Amino acid sequence: MALIKLGGLVAEVRGSMGGTVFARNRGGAYIRNRSVPINPASVRQVEVRALLADLTNKWTTLLTDTQREAWELYAQNVPLINVLGEARNVSGINMYVRSNSLLIDAGGTRLDDAPTEFTVGPTITPTMTIDSAADTFDVTDLGTYNLADGDVYLLFSSGRPVQQGVNFYKAPFRKAVGIFAQDTTNEPPYAGNALPYPVAAGQALFLRCACVTTDGRVGVPTIQRFLVT
């Protein structure tokens, strides 16, 4: 791995070109050789690929022209932030698949009508505790988010347990549980949620929370680090 220092001509490089990958970590920008990942075709991978393929097919064969135009309009008005921190607009089909894949994975039902509110969903940073004896976690509250502002679907995922000295974790994350959070009907706490990996005291664990509103607006995911006791 070679470190690089970027100057005035090129300030930031991310992604891959040929056999080279440009990336950044806590030590700064670096370059590495591109490796071809092993494809274990796990049950989870097969499920996700089938979901994405089905949604792509639905876009082409099921949605009306009016519905597709509405998703294009939403995508044009709601830019997303890329890895360089820049706002970019994606296509309508990308926004449709993005919203519905998270919604369905969290336990919701597919939405073919695009959101009419041109914003992203809320960013939710819940308070969570981990029970290492039972390999579960509890969600005690949703941080500053008030369910009176709208019901949301939450998708919780966990990274692999790591040594307690690790303070940064990027991927992979494995699904833990999807929860439909409803004002007065299904408010926190959400207790006894099974972790996808066994944990032990002294390890660090990173939990990811992604949310999508009932009209299909996806919020910015949050990742929190926990020291397992």
Side-chain angles (χ1 to χ4, degrees):
M1 180 180 74
L3 295 176
I4 58 174
K5 184 175 182 179
L6 300 171
L9 181 62
V10 178
E12 189 78 31
V13 184
R14 297 287 183 93
S16 61
M17 181 181 299
T20 303
V21 175
F22 302 87
R24 175 180 289 275
N25 59 18
R26 295 181 64 192
Y30 68 91
I31 300 174
R32 63 176 173 83
N33 289 330
R34 184 178 184 181
S35 59
V36 179
I38 298 173
N39 179 13
S42 66
V43 173
R44 174 65 177 164
Q45 286 178 324
V46 172
E47 288 177 350
V48 171
R49 290 168 184 164
L51 173 60
L52 298 179
D54 182 62
L55 289 171
T56 301
N57 182 62
K58 291 289 194 303
W59 170 272
T60 303
T61 63
L62 182 66
L63 267 65
T64 65
D65 289 341
T66 300
Q67 287 173 320
R68 285 191 288 266
E69 289 169 0
W71 281 103
E72 294 287 358
L73 182 62
Y74 178 71
Q76 292 167 11
N77 283 277
V78 183
L80 305 179
I81 305 301
N82 65 16
V83 295
L84 299 179
E86 301 169 334
R88 64 183 180 91
N89 291 97
V90 300
S91 66
I93 184 174
N94 286 340
M95 194 68 84
Y96 171 77
V97 172
R98 176 176 181 265
S99 294
N100 277 294
S101 59
L102 176 56
L103 182 64
I104 294 171
D105 209 16
T109 303
R110 189 188 75 247
L111 292 174
D112 292 336
D113 293 331
T116 56
E117 180 180 337
F118 294 153
T119 63
V120 297
T123 297
I124 296 178
T125 306
T127 301
M128 296 178 281
T129 58
I130 297 172
D131 184 345
S132 58
D135 291 328
T136 60
F137 70 99
D138 297 344
V139 180
T140 56
D141 65 57
L142 298 182
T144 60
Y145 184 71
N146 189 342
L147 282 174
D149 295 330
D151 301 336
V152 289
Y153 286 89
L154 303 171
L155 183 64
F156 292 92
S157 305
S158 170
R160 295 191 180 103
V162 294
Q163 295 179 349
Q164 60 179 306
V166 176
N167 293 307
F168 174 81
Y169 184 91
K170 183 177 181 180
F173 283 89
R174 181 177 292 179
K175 177 181 175 180
V177 66
I179 295 172
F180 184 33
Q182 296 176 276
D183 186 30
T184 71
T185 303
N186 188 30
E187 297 178 328
Y190 312 118
N193 304 294
L195 289 165
Y197 301 102
V199 295
Q203 293 177 328
L205 189 69
F206 291 80
L207 293 179
R208 184 177 187 266
C209 176
C211 74
V212 59
T213 60
T214 54
D215 65 346
R217 292 175 293 116
V218 177
V220 177
T222 57
I223 299 175
Q224 299 182 67
R225 176 186 179 275
F226 296 89
L227 182 60
V228 182
T229 57

